[in-house]
Amino acid sequence: MGLKQKLISAQEIIKKYGITYQTVNHYTNFGLINVITKKSNVRLYDEEEVDRRLSKIIQLAGAGFPLRLIRKTLNDELAVKVNTGTGGA
């Protein structure tokens, strides 16, 4: 996540990436994309993170990986960035 984090709503994700609300909801509940904050009844996501994660999800799902393995892969990549200090800024 950068210093100037741009937040995006589920509705904006639907329009930008051409996926359904049910898919956004499922990916959120399953831990594939993370809610950064809620404003009223609107979930907001980090646009950069969503872009990065959805690209990886599409790539791995296209290769036949199940969502559980995709989630593990995404979380392992995040852990590596945090532990090596390559994530953020």
Side-chain angles (χ1 to χ4, degrees):
M1 284 178 250
L3 294 175
K4 291 189 178 180
Q5 183 179 53
K6 182 169 189 283
L7 299 179
I8 186 171
S9 70
Q11 288 299 323
E12 292 169 312
I13 292 171
I14 292 164
K15 289 177 190 169
K16 183 173 180 178
Y17 299 98
I19 59 177
T20 66
Y21 181 78
Q22 289 79 9
T23 299
V24 173
N25 205 31
H26 182 65
Y27 286 179
T28 300
N29 292 338
F30 201 70
L32 294 171
I33 56 176
N34 302 311
V35 175
I36 300 300
T37 188
K38 284 179 102 175
K39 208 179 220 180
S40 299
N41 201 21
V42 177
R43 295 175 299 186
L44 298 173
Y45 304 82
D46 179 307
E47 186 174 28
E48 230 177 80
E49 180 184 2
V50 168
D51 189 54
R52 188 171 39 253
R53 284 180 164 250
L54 283 179
S55 294
K56 193 72 166 182
I57 291 166
I58 290 165
Q59 174 192 4
L60 293 174
F65 285 76
L67 290 181
R68 287 183 205 283
L69 187 54
I70 293 171
R71 178 179 58 195
K72 182 180 179 340
T73 302
L74 292 172
N75 291 337
D76 287 351
E77 287 178 359
L78 181 61
V80 168
K81 284 182 183 178
V82 169
N83 289 334
T84 62
T86 59

